[in-house]
Amino acid sequence: MTGMADRIAKGLSDQDVVRFLRQMVSIYKDRRTGNPALAEALRKLADRLEKEATSERADPSPAQSSLWVTPSTEELRGYDDEAISKYISDEARTKVDLVELAFARFSIPRAKLQRMPAAEIRDAISAALKHEQSLKIIAEEAERYGSSRRS
């Protein structure tokens, strides 16, 4: 808790604000329950702040280079197996980041994930990824067997 208190005392970084804005975008973009216009405005604001922050810091230190901005839900849905593995192995990812990935990519309910520690969320994502990979293998084998089948 002291780390959080120190962070608040020092103020939020641009990356913290960008991450927050991107999370708000994912909440407000739902057409039925959200506010798509607000989501778009928040996205533009996050993009602008991120662009300014990256132009101000030309050469990030190694500690800063591991700070990632949370991708949008659409981006998370499009992640391939390698990108997911990298995402969950990055220790800079917060629990919220992991919950968003698990929800967006594997449709694991947020409520279930929010009660879990980050390590268990990583395990759940890894298990879901392995399950998805095994289904792909089964589908490929079934297709291969089906095309050679003569009946």
Side-chain angles (χ1 to χ4, degrees), residues 85-130:
S85 296
K86 284 181 184 178
Y87 193 94
I88 63 174
S89 65
D90 182 6
E91 292 298 322
R93 290 293 178 189
T94 66
K95 181 177 174 177
V96 173
D97 293 338
L98 297 170
V99 168
E100 286 305 309
L101 172 66
F103 177 75
R105 184 64 168 73
F106 300 104
S107 300
I108 301 173
R110 284 187 180 112
K112 175 183 177 182
L113 296 167
Q114 289 170 341
R115 293 186 299 246
M116 301 166 72
E120 288 182 23
I121 297 172
R122 283 184 168 87
D123 292 342
I125 294 170
S126 181
L129 180 61
K130 288 176 184 172

Side-chain angles (χ1 to χ4, degrees), residues 81 128-146:
D81 297 353
L129 180 61
K130 288 176 184 172
H131 177 72
E132 190 177 82
Q133 291 168 340
S134 66
L135 290 175
K136 287 178 188 174
I137 292 169
I138 291 169
E140 289 170 3
E141 289 299 315
E143 189 175 303
R144 188 176 320 148
Y145 176 73

Side-chain angles (χ1 to χ4, degrees), residues 53-65:
T54 54
S55 68
E56 287 175 6
R57 125 192 95 141
D59 187 15
S61 69
Q64 289 175 327
S65 64

Side-chain angles (χ1 to χ4, degrees), residues 3 16 21 27 54 65-66 79 81-83 92 112 123 127 145 147:
D16 292 331
L21 290 172
I27 291 169
T54 54
S65 64
S66 67
Y79 274 17
D81 297 353
E82 185 179 332
K112 175 183 177 182
D123 292 342
Y145 176 73
S147 65

